[in-house]
Amino acid sequence: MHIVIVGLSHKTAPVEIREKLAFAPTAMERPLRQMLELPPVAEGLIVSTCNRVELCAATKEPEAAMAALRRFLAEYHEVPPEEISSNLYSYQGEEAIRHLFRVSSSLDSMVLGEPQILGQIKTAYGYAAEFKTAGLILNRFLHKAFSVAKRVRTETAIASNAVSVSFAAVELARKIFDRLDNKGVMIIGAGEMCELAARHFVTNGVSKVLVTNRTFERAEKLAAEFNGKAIPFEYFVEHLAEVDIVMTSTGAPNFILGQRQMEEVLKRRKNRPMFLIDIAVPRDIDPKVNNLDNAYLYDVDDLQGVVQANLKERQKEAGKAETIVEQEIGQFYQWLGNLEVKPTIIALRRKLEEIRQQELDKTFGNLKDLTDGQRRSIEAMAGAIINKVLHQPTAVLKHSQNDTSGEDYVDAVRTLFDLPAPAGDDKEIKPLDDTDQE
Amino acid sequence: MTVNVLLFKITLLTYFAATIFYLIGVISRKDSVRLAAIWLLSGGFVLHCSTLAARWFASGITPVASLYESLSFFAWALVGIYLIFYLRYRTIMLGAFITPLALVLMIIGSAAPKQTPALNPMLDSWWFPVHVTLAFLGHAVFAIAAAAGIMYLLQERMLKSKKFSGLFYRLPSLDTLDSMNYKCLTFGFPLMTMGIISGAIWANSAWGGYWRWDPKETWALISWFLYAALLHGRLTVGWRGRRAAIFAIIGFAFLLFTFFGVNLFLSGEHSFRNFTGQ
């Protein structure tokens, strides 16, 4: 049995094509069933996100299956096949395994290390399992892909550092304050950027939110969203000492917060540190504020710089992740190979021969006064028992080669007789971790 | 070679290994390196405890009389206090400062004569071990404060300049480091104060006078005032962060000078020569 993948991603197709070939996430039953009706396809799975579509199948005839899947993808979406053929990639065997492992580990993602893709593949697998289009091979394959992705996330720092401006702000705040749950934040200027960053701060535990804006009504509206308090713009400086984090994004042409004012504020705070984030262009806060002890001022460029540095860190980690993927491919490929009938029969016979030999040695050790003739008869009897026992299983295995039940029998025999273990640890599919964000 | 000297050498080697791992841990991305370091250090500490115990049983007095003994004791207190801090704050990076310091103390100690000193009758007082123990524990706590101070300055500089090295991700937050500074101060200052008072009481019983203005006493008093100023500043004026970090570093430099410099450059009642007749 082979694994094949036909698909397209943000790397091979522009969004106009991707959106044409996407599958609606709410109606996966029909395409999955149709896919399984293609003659060479034994098991099927469809992953469809805004950045990629992947058709994954287990098949006996990889070439035919790949051609059928390419045609299916075009016909299902009523697109001429030649129009999209240059955007499609097809993988089989080891390459297909590598591809899915890399995709689920987020090594193929637009933002390296983003965690959503794993959840999307889990959902896709959920449908395939629900409509029973995934069988032994894809079950094992997908579980393996999940465990590879998990290994990559825990053993490398690929997903560790923030790669968006608002998350970078939260991360920096953690390096200053350690805990955010007893901290307060003030939003100056109710812009969209500030709102997004404020939301991140609130989900990360910030409890006190003050909002100020030139039009008081907007401040009130935003404050209500965060259970915060609105403050008239004229008085915001007086309230600065109450908060630890300040975010500004007003359209003011000049600085609205200068060094002198901040000096006063810090004094009133007894020098407890303050983190100031100035997202406005032109800037709202005098850059000299950064020279004050215990004040940390970041403007948009600074935050972008942090994001760039973090991306670089992720790229360094990607190398490690690729190594992990390579290790796991070998293991899984071995398991897949073990599902072949012939090596299984050979392994089974060898195993029983080993048992026969051990038992004979034991018996002869106890019965020392046997004649050579008697020994030979006992050996022959043991051999005959093995042959009789093996006759039916061997016949069934050989017969099953011709239909789709083959792998199930092979897997069963390998488990029952404890033949060299197939790779991959079956684990329950877990829902997406709560820690996944961004 | 007596048992305790052998144990001392094994301890020293373990600290050496731990130091190597800590220094690799500063640049390495692997947590396993840092974990190995903390285990090596913990193992070294257990050995060190038995070293001191063996010495104690052999000589019958608290092993703090000779230069060798007191250096070993200082290093022991340093590692012990660090391990306690590790349990509380889980900051492995702190060890990258403390472990090399302990190692250096041990190496200097290993160069000093190791025989048990012929006991000077002056030292035969209950106050002597109390004085020395309190003083060294105080020194060790202040060493932690100084290490936290260095880490604070490094982390602060990265946050201010917006240029981050890999160290940035491994150093604790400014808040954590500053609260360490405060914790150290609240433990270290009483220890140091009691160390000085017990020393004065001992001096009275040994020489018949509480305070003799010998160089060590003077320098200890200067350090004490420095820490007193820092504690006062923290509690009343809101000193913290950078200033507190710098104070902690200077304070510890004074303590080190009090301990080493005074013995090397100046002479007085605290010189080990006077204790041991060497």
Side-chain angles (χ1 to χ4, degrees):
Chain A
M1 204 61 119
H2 302 266
I3 288 173
V4 299
I5 289 176
V6 166
L8 69 159
S9 74
H10 58 96
K11 287 186 176 159
T12 65
V15 64
E16 303 83 60
I17 301 217
R18 296 204 305 268
E19 66 194 5
K20 256 190 237 168
L21 298 181
F23 293 87
T26 45
M28 291 304 280
E29 184 169 4
R30 195 166 70 96
L32 277 171
R33 292 217 188 287
Q34 284 185 16
M35 188 175 157
L36 215 60
E37 278 162 20
L38 304 170
V41 172
E43 300 176 25
L45 167 89
I46 299 175
V47 180
S48 180
T49 76
C50 52
N51 279 335
R52 63 177 67 248
V53 175
E54 311 271 355
L55 305 179
C56 175
T59 174
K60 277 203 166 26
E61 308 151 67
E63 298 295 337
M66 286 191 295
L69 288 176
R70 292 176 87 99
R71 230 176 303 120
F72 166 71
L73 190 55
E75 278 163 15
Y76 187 89
H77 294 289
E78 292 160 0
V79 181
E82 50 301 343
E83 201 172 283
I84 57 163
S85 71
S86 65
N87 301 113
L88 297 186
Y89 45 74
S90 351
Y91 298 114
Q92 59 168 310
E94 217 180 300
E95 281 198 325
I97 298 169
R98 179 179 295 115
H99 180 69
L100 191 76
F101 284 3
R102 290 187 74 244
V103 169
S104 43
S105 310
S106 196
L107 288 169
D108 199 44
S109 299
M110 200 180 253
V111 179
L112 193 64
E114 58 91 9
Q116 270 146 7
I117 184 65
L118 182 59
Q120 288 159 336
I121 295 180
K122 280 180 177 169
T123 312
Y125 172 69
Y127 286 121
E130 186 184 340
F131 304 123
K132 304 222 161 35
T133 61
L136 176 79
I137 307 257
L138 288 192
N139 281 339
R140 196 57 82 87
F141 184 34
L142 268 294
H143 280 130
K144 192 69 200 174
F146 300 152
S147 81
V148 172
K150 195 172 173 199
R151 248 193 92 187
V152 165
R153 290 205 74 183
T154 50
E155 290 178 27
T156 75
I158 193 156
S160 57
N161 304 319
V163 288
S164 69
V165 166
S166 41
F167 256 100
V170 172
E171 219 165 68
L172 284 168
R174 280 231 182 81
K175 276 294 176 193
I176 298 171
F177 301 116
D178 202 47
R179 292 172 49 183
L180 299 180
D181 51 0
N182 49 359
K183 298 292 179 288
V185 59
M186 183 189 286
I187 305 170
I188 305 173
E192 200 176 321
M193 240 337 222
C194 267
E195 196 185 326
L196 184 69
R199 206 170 293 282
H200 281 319
F201 274 116
V202 170
T203 47
N204 279 282
V206 163
S207 48
K208 180 179 181 179
V209 180
L210 303 182
V211 185
T212 183
N213 197 54
R214 277 196 208 278
T215 36
F216 190 65
E217 291 71 39
R218 287 202 57 191
E220 274 182 321
K221 217 176 121 220
L222 190 60
E225 265 180 64
F226 294 115
N227 271 332
K229 207 172 88 187
I231 294 166
F233 190 75
E234 304 80 72
Y235 304 123
F236 85 85
V237 178
E238 279 150 50
H239 292 273
L240 273 177
E242 300 164 27
V243 297
D244 311 276
I245 301 160
V246 179
M247 275 186 292
T248 67
S249 66
T250 72
N254 301 316
F255 298 140
I256 58 166
L257 198 54
Q259 195 183 358
R260 273 282 160 71
Q261 286 162 303
M262 274 307 295
E263 244 170 279
E264 272 306 304
V265 170
L266 283 165
K267 204 177 275 174
R268 268 196 288 150
R269 283 173 60 78
K270 285 203 159 189
N271 291 322
R272 273 178 297 127
M274 276 184 96
F275 181 31
L276 304 125
I277 305 154
D278 184 354
I279 320 182
V281 180
R283 286 175 294 181
D284 281 339
I285 305 176
D286 188 343
K288 284 198 210 98
V289 167
N290 195 44
N291 301 335
L292 296 175
D293 255 3
N294 301 311
Y296 302 89
L297 171 61
Y298 279 70
D299 63 31
V300 156
D301 285 359
D302 297 332
L303 290 174
Q304 286 291 0
V306 173
V307 166
Q308 286 309 319
N310 286 347
L311 266 177
K312 244 184 234 157
E313 283 288 306
R314 283 193 180 196
Q315 265 144 17
K316 276 189 212 154
E317 291 299 295
K320 263 194 242 169
E322 300 279 2
T323 316
I324 293 176
V325 166
E326 289 306 316
Q327 287 167 1
E328 301 279 350
I329 291 173
Q331 253 190 37
F332 182 76
Y333 205 55
Q334 197 190 345
W335 176 80
L336 202 60
N338 280 343
L339 289 183
E340 299 295 325
V341 166
K342 227 189 228 153
T344 306
I345 294 175
I346 293 170
L348 179 58
R349 184 160 275 283
R350 193 178 298 136
K351 172 101 184 185
L352 294 192
E353 277 298 333
E354 262 170 38
I355 296 174
R356 168 172 169 255
Q357 207 50 53
Q358 278 168 12
E359 292 306 312
L360 283 176
D361 288 350
K362 229 192 273 170
T363 310
F364 292 154
N366 290 335
L367 307 172
K368 290 214 171 55
D369 33 85
L370 289 178
T371 65
D372 279 356
Q374 285 168 323
R375 276 171 176 265
R376 267 196 299 280
S377 331
I378 293 176
E379 275 174 16
M381 181 199 71
I385 291 177
I386 288 182
N387 285 336
K388 286 259 161 66
V389 169
L390 279 182
H391 176 75
Q392 182 65 8
T394 311
V396 171
L397 276 175
K398 278 186 178 157
H399 186 72
S400 72
Q401 239 175 325
N402 306 320
D403 58 53
T404 51
S405 65
E407 279 76 17
D408 292 317
Y409 279 117
V410 168
D411 197 45
V413 166
R414 287 200 174 259
T415 313
L416 286 174
F417 289 95
D418 190 25
L419 302 178
D425 33 330
D426 258 342
K427 279 187 203 117
E428 285 298 302
I429 323 164
K430 282 178 224 114
L432 194 56
D433 310 357
D434 301 330
T435 51
D436 292 346
Q437 39 182 232
E438 229 174 288
Chain B
M1 200 173 351
T2 53
V3 176
N4 65 70
V5 174
L6 181 69
L7 277 168
F8 175 84
K9 291 202 163 145
I10 303 173
T11 308
L12 195 152
L13 284 176
T14 319
Y15 284 171
F16 181 69
T19 302
I20 303 245
F21 272 87
Y22 269 117
L23 294 182
I24 297 172
V26 172
I27 44 171
S28 167
R29 282 157 204 280
K30 288 209 177 72
D31 283 332
S32 52
V33 177
R34 292 181 273 280
L35 228 58
I38 190 84
W39 278 109
L40 273 169
L41 189 66
S42 310
F45 182 68
V46 173
L47 281 165
H48 207 161
C49 290
S50 46
T51 309
L52 295 184
R55 184 87 177 179
W56 198 342
F57 283 125
S59 66
I61 56 161
T62 321
V64 283
S66 72
L67 181 62
Y68 156 72
E69 286 176 341
S70 53
L71 281 167
S72 171
F73 187 81
F74 189 6
W76 174 81
L78 205 55
V79 174
I81 300 270
Y82 163 65
L83 289 175
I84 293 171
F85 262 79
Y86 175 74
L87 291 179
R88 167 75 177 76
Y89 288 99
R90 297 275 149 194
T91 50
I92 292 193
M93 295 307 285
L94 193 57
F97 295 90
I98 296 301
T99 315
L101 181 59
L103 179 68
V104 168
L105 293 174
M106 294 288 277
I107 290 173
I108 301 175
S110 75
K114 292 190 192 58
Q115 64 267 44
T116 316
L119 194 57
N120 188 317
M122 230 164 54
L123 302 182
D124 191 17
S125 158
W126 187 79
W127 285 105
F128 169 63
V130 172
H131 162 60
V132 179
T133 307
L134 287 171
F136 276 136
L137 285 177
H139 280 42
V141 173
F142 284 139
I144 304 267
I150 295 172
M151 283 157 71
Y152 185 98
L153 293 182
L154 286 173
Q155 184 77 308
E156 200 226 15
R157 212 179 61 190
M158 284 192 275
L159 277 165
K160 281 274 191 202
S161 68
K162 291 140 195 179
K163 289 191 186 70
F164 306 106
S165 69
L167 201 61
F168 175 73
Y169 304 102
R170 289 185 279 278
L171 284 176
S173 68
L174 291 181
D175 242 16
T176 309
L177 291 168
D178 192 52
S179 87
M180 269 189 196
N181 178 293
Y182 182 61
K183 269 271 154 59
C184 287
L185 211 53
T186 53
F187 282 105
F189 191 70
L191 280 170
M192 188 184 186
T193 311
M194 290 190 298
I196 292 178
I197 292 172
S198 59
I201 297 172
W202 171 48
N204 188 40
S205 69
W207 295 291
Y210 286 104
W211 196 268
R212 298 158 59 99
W213 294 108
D214 93 357
K216 192 146 193 163
E217 288 170 359
T218 312
W219 280 94
L221 194 66
I222 294 172
S223 316
W224 185 85
F225 271 117
L226 209 68
Y227 283 112
L230 174 56
L231 190 61
H232 177 78
R234 283 205 77 116
L235 291 176
T236 59
V237 207
W239 283 8
R240 53 182 299 138
R242 196 180 147 75
R243 194 191 303 237
I246 293 173
F247 254 88
I249 295 167
I250 295 176
F252 187 62
F254 271 73
L255 285 184
L256 280 183
F257 182 75
T258 311
F259 183 65
F260 286 113
V262 172
N263 277 324
L264 292 176
F265 308 122
L266 312 160
S267 66
E269 298 297 352
H270 279 79
S271 168
F272 290 104
R273 238 185 343 258
N274 293 356
F275 288 180
T276 57
Q278 280 157 13

